[in-house]
């Protein structure tokens, strides 16, 4: 009997955020168990709703969303993104430099397919958001992971980046604010990366989907605002800042040395045309989102829900013997480390699976984010404070008795 196999292109593609452990969580739910899902940043699951005015705009304009639109996206939505670029200091961005997509995920894959030939290398942070590694691999490229230093607030290690640049290196990825660590990079660090890009003719791919989710007075600088002689792709969208993950509304901005990328941009336009257009109803919310009241500011301010949840989870994690966690300055995650002297973990996937089976709490193992140790976990702090307190207490009890 003939068996049908997946494409060899997928042999080294991995996305463990939705992997084996999640399938086990679904099985438990089908049996009637309630699982606390701290594995993905999905705000709606925890009653963090899309602002009502954005919902109303989408509903009101729905009759105009029945047909295809320009493949790059609605003019009004791209105009709003263009104005946002002006606010962020990203110079000389025109309407045609902006591409709307079904979330940033689609645009990452699309740009990697346009950019990479077989064996071309892309520098990606470790830990990373694993879609980046998967997208590069699927596009026949080679992901090369550079070290982010936990002892330096998870900032990229510039010396390690320098060592990993080769003649095959085409681009460097920055995830800022960072998922999974919550690091927000300084202007000085960004300038160092830009200087490397300038010296080695690299494209800077800046994933800024959490650029409004900032704590403790932290300021985010858009990488592309710092130079005009380097080619930048900047990615952003509605999923996190506006809690509209299910809308799948993202955008990609091409700026800087565009005159050196005419052929590449033609390739991106070809791929954009092939998918006809991104979903139109969600595009109808972009103009209102970017121009309206920024309710995220209330959530991240002292006393705000996200601020308090971050502080609660961070404090309780650090109170667990053998656990330490750098305090995140942005995003929705904590990335605690389990001291190997207390927890000699040999298989972190088994650790999170055992936690799921015993406590019905779903986390993601650190190795899923392409780091080479098994001593980290990613914790989403979206549940309300009381639920987080209960979950962190149960996690502490579990770890106290856990041995592999």
């Amino acid at each position: 009997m003939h068996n049908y196999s997946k494409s060899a292109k997928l042999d080294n593609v991995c996305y463990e955020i939705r992997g084996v452990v999640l399938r086990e969580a679904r099985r438990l739910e089908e049996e009637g168990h309630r699982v606390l899902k701290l594995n993905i940043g999905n705000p709606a699951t925890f009653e963090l709703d899309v602002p009502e005015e954005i919902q109303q705009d989408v509903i009101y304009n729905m009759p105009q969303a029945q047909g295809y639109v320009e493949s790059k996206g609605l003019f009004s939505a791209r105009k709003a993104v263009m104005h946002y670029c002006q606010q962020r200091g990203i110079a000389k961005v025109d309407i045609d430099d902006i591409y709307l997509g079904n979330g940033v995920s689609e645009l990452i894959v699309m740009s990697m397919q346009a950019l990479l030939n077989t064996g071309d290398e892309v520098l990606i942070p470790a830990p990373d958001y694993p879609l980046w590694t998967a997208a590069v691999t699927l596009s026949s490229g080679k992901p090369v992971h550079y070290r982010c230093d936990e002892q330096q607030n998870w900032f990229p290690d510039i010396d390690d980046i320098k060592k990993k640049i080769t003649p095959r290196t085409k681009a460097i990825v920055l995830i800022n604010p960072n998922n999974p660590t919550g690091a927000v990079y300084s202007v000085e660090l960004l300038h160092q990366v830009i200087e490397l890009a300038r010296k080695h003719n690299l494209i800077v791919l800046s994933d800024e989907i959490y650029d409004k989710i900032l704590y403790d007075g932290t300021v985010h600088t858009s990488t592309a605002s710092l130079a005009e002689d380097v080619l930048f792709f900047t990615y952003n969208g509605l999923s996190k800042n506006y809690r509209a993950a299910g809308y799948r509304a993202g955008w990609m901005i091409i700026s800087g040395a565009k005159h050196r990328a005419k052929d590449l941009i033609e390739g991106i336009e070809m791929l954009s045309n092939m998918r006809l257009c991104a979903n139109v109803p969600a595009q109808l919310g972009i103009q209102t989102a970017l121009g309206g009241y920024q309710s995220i500011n209330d959530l991240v301010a002292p006393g705000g829900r996200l601020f308090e949840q971050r502080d609660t989870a961070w404090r309780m994690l650090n109170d667990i013997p053998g656990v330490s966690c750098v305090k995140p300055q942005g995003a929705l995650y904590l990335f605690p480390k389990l001291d190997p002297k207390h927890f000699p973990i040999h298989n972190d996937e088994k650790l999170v699976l055992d936690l799921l089976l015993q406590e019905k709490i779903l986390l993601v193992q650190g190795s899923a984010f392409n780091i080479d140790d098994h001593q980290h976990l990613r914790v989403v702090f979206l549940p309300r404070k009381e639920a987080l307190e209960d979950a962190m207490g149960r996690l502490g009890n579990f770890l106290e008795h856990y041995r592999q």
Side-chain angles (χ1 to χ4, degrees):
M1 181 181 294
H2 177 78
N3 294 319
Y4 297 96
S5 302
K6 68 178 184 294
S7 164
K9 294 192 298 292
L10 295 171
D11 285 349
N12 296 306
V13 174
C14 183
Y15 190 73
E16 284 303 313
I17 292 176
R18 292 179 178 266
V20 173
V21 182
L22 178 61
R23 290 196 289 272
E24 185 64 17
R26 288 173 177 154
R27 184 190 68 78
L28 289 171
E29 288 181 321
E30 290 169 359
E31 292 180 355
H33 297 280
R34 178 174 293 180
V35 175
L36 180 61
K37 294 180 179 177
L38 305 184
N39 63 316
I40 59 173
N42 190 11
T45 304
F46 301 103
E47 301 171 327
L48 285 158
D49 297 334
V50 178
E52 188 174 345
E53 63 176 344
I54 299 175
Q55 295 186 46
Q56 289 176 345
D57 263 25
V58 172
I59 293 168
Y60 180 79
N61 289 293
M62 191 65 74
Q64 280 74 56
Q66 298 178 63
Y68 296 132
V69 299
E70 159 68 36
S71 66
K72 290 183 179 181
L74 287 172
F75 180 88
S76 60
R78 287 187 290 144
K79 186 81 168 181
V81 174
M82 188 182 81
H83 289 159
Y84 188 65
C85 292
Q86 294 168 359
Q87 296 167 19
R88 301 287 290 162
I90 305 176
K92 300 177 182 176
V93 174
D94 299 322
I95 289 286
D96 284 340
D97 299 324
I98 297 164
Y99 297 76
L100 304 188
N102 296 302
V104 167
S105 301
E106 179 190 48
L107 295 165
I108 289 172
V109 173
M110 190 166 75
S111 52
M112 292 304 93
Q113 288 177 334
L115 173 65
L116 299 176
N117 291 312
T118 300
D120 285 345
E121 297 174 1
V122 178
L123 291 162
I124 301 174
D128 71 340
Y129 176 56
L131 177 72
W132 276 105
T133 296
V136 169
T137 302
L138 185 63
S139 302
S140 77
K142 178 184 177 182
V144 176
H145 294 99
Y146 63 82
R147 176 175 175 263
C148 293
D149 187 351
E150 190 168 10
Q151 303 306 312
Q152 299 297 324
N153 296 316
W154 287 114
F155 273 32
D157 182 334
I158 293 295
D159 288 335
D160 190 57
I161 294 173
K162 289 177 181 177
K163 293 174 185 175
K164 289 174 176 172
I165 296 173
T166 77
R168 299 302 302 267
T169 308
K170 299 290 290 288
I172 181 168
V173 174
L174 291 173
I175 305 173
N176 178 37
N178 187 265
N179 172 11
T181 67
V184 180
Y185 301 151
S186 65
V187 171
E188 291 75 16
L189 183 281
L190 297 176
H191 273 301
Q192 288 179 291
V193 172
I194 289 170
E195 183 55 37
L196 288 178
R198 181 179 290 122
K199 180 178 179 180
H200 296 280
N201 295 311
L202 307 181
I203 303 171
V204 178
L205 309 169
S206 193
D207 184 343
E208 303 182 5
I209 192 73
Y210 299 95
D211 69 338
K212 291 180 180 291
I213 305 180
L214 306 166
Y215 309 98
D216 305 324
T218 301
V219 175
H220 176 268
T221 300
S222 185
T223 317
S225 70
L226 299 177
E228 295 182 33
D229 62 328
V230 170
L231 184 63
F232 297 94
F233 288 12
T234 303
Y235 304 82
N236 212 323
L238 300 187
S239 292
K240 310 301 182 180
N241 294 332
Y242 302 95
R243 286 84 69 201
Y247 282 27
R248 308 314 300 134
W251 52 86
M252 177 175 69
I253 303 152
I254 301 178
S255 65
K258 295 177 286 187
H259 62 285
R260 296 167 52 198
K262 292 180 180 179
D263 193 59
L264 172 58
I265 291 170
E266 181 180 329
I268 291 170
E269 291 185 356
M270 288 173 60
L271 293 173
S272 178
N273 291 336
M274 284 169 61
R275 52 96 206 237
L276 299 179
C277 67
N279 93 79
V280 180
Q283 294 183 43
L284 296 167
I286 292 175
Q287 184 176 29
T288 295
L290 293 180
Y293 180 71
Q294 301 299 300
S295 58
I296 188 63
N297 294 335
D298 299 328
L299 293 169
V300 300
R305 182 176 160 184
L306 290 177
F307 182 95
E308 296 300 323
Q309 289 165 191
R310 178 204 62 157
D311 276 10
T312 295
W314 175 76
R315 173 180 51 80
M316 292 188 71
L317 282 169
N318 281 294
D319 285 344
I320 300 171
V323 177
S324 61
C325 184
V326 176
K327 196 171 191 178
Q329 296 303 299
L332 303 170
Y333 316 98
L334 299 131
F335 202 61
K337 180 179 181 179
L338 309 183
D339 187 337
K341 295 177 182 177
H342 285 74
F343 308 103
I345 306 300
H346 305 295
N347 184 335
D348 56 352
E349 184 177 70
K350 183 178 186 302
L351 171 69
V352 297
L353 181 59
D354 290 343
L355 174 66
L356 172 66
L357 294 173
Q358 293 182 38
E359 297 293 340
K360 309 303 183 290
I361 297 172
L362 180 59
L363 303 181
V364 182
Q365 66 273 20
S367 60
F369 300 93
N370 292 296
I371 55 173
D372 58 4
D373 72 52
H374 296 86
Q375 300 298 139
H376 290 83
L377 302 169
R378 191 184 73 167
V379 180
V380 173
F381 57 81
L382 284 171
R384 292 190 181 275
K385 185 177 177 180
E386 297 77 13
L388 271 178
E389 289 174 336
D390 175 67
M392 294 303 99
R394 288 157 56 198
L395 174 61
N397 290 333
F398 169 83
L399 289 174
E400 183 179 349
H401 300 98
Y402 189 78
R403 293 290 183 271
Q404 282 194 356

